[in-house]
Amino acid sequence: MRNLRMTKQPAKKTEITEEVPEQTPPKKEEDKSALLQALLSEEDDFYAFTLVGDIEEKSCNEVVSTLISMHHTIEKKMEARLEEQIIEKTAEMQDEAEEEGVQIVIEQEPPPDIKMYISTSGGAADDMFAMYDVMKWVQRSVDISTIGIGKVMSAGVPLLAAGTKGKRYLAENARVMIHNASAGAVGIIPTMEEEINEFKNIQDMYIRLLSENTNMSEKKIRSMLKKKANIYLSAKQAVELGIADHIL
């Protein structure tokens, strides 16, 4: 930060006038992304939070509680605004409505989006499923815009893809990775067999979520996972597969 100092200059006996050339405003960066401008635009209601780090119980608690709190706040504000609009509109049209039976129509603005910034290497599947379910519940009335930055891997990919269609973004240099679920089991054979079956179930759920929210079929995802242990994707490749919609 620069420190600017203003000093008082001694008065001069003569006045010298000089024409100052008109300064043209600096040109905006031509490659400035309109999508980025929209995300960073000033809004009366700005709802954004981050999921940065491993997906586990602590981060799950933070994400779930934040989503529920923001969703509740938005719904209450929208209800208050609607009541205010009704009162104002009724007052404006009261006489006309009473005399002619005019129906009052209120056009309410859509609720503001919740913006969820994601950068994670993945983590626990159960905690990811909890976040996913709450996201889908909130999306019944409020759109969630997901923005992938840095790395979006493993359990983080279904969360990025779970954002509202058309509002899922990836930073230009973000990396995406999907892979097979991994786990371990110890104990007697019946116990290990039960754990292996549950492990397969989690893998199936992971694939189903990806298929439901992307352009990839379950068959294609299974085929991809058989060929490589870890499938790394650029932002462009992830958009082509329908994991995200736009590159920032």
Side-chain angles (χ1 to χ4, degrees), residues 65-83:
S65 60
T66 299
L67 282 170
I68 293 173
S69 176
M70 287 185 173
H71 179 245
H72 176 75
T73 301
I74 290 172
E75 286 200 324
K76 288 298 181 183
K77 284 191 174 183
M78 295 303 294
E79 290 175 4
R81 288 176 184 173
L82 179 59
E83 290 180 6

Side-chain angles (χ1 to χ4, degrees), residues 3 19 31 64 69 80 88 102 167 176 226 237 242:
N3 293 323
E19 293 185 1
D31 58 347
V64 168
S69 176
E88 291 177 354
V102 177
K167 298 182 178 182
V176 176
K226 284 181 180 180
Q237 291 171 322

Side-chain angles (χ1 to χ4, degrees), residues 215-226:
N215 300 332
M216 300 180 288
S217 65
E218 291 191 22
K219 182 178 180 181
K220 180 175 181 177
I221 296 170
R222 293 183 188 280
S223 176
M224 292 170 64
L225 293 176
K226 284 181 180 180

Side-chain angles (χ1 to χ4, degrees), residues 206-242:
Y206 178 80
I207 292 173
R208 176 176 58 80
L209 295 190
L210 284 177
S211 176
E212 289 177 354
N213 295 280
T214 67
N215 300 332
M216 300 180 288
S217 65
E218 291 191 22
K219 182 178 180 181
K220 180 175 181 177
I221 296 170
R222 293 183 188 280
S223 176
M224 292 170 64
L225 293 176
K226 284 181 180 180
K227 294 178 182 178
K228 294 182 179 180
N230 297 322
I231 302 169
Y232 289 94
L233 305 169
S234 65
K236 182 180 179 181
Q237 291 171 322
V239 169
E240 290 174 351
L241 293 174

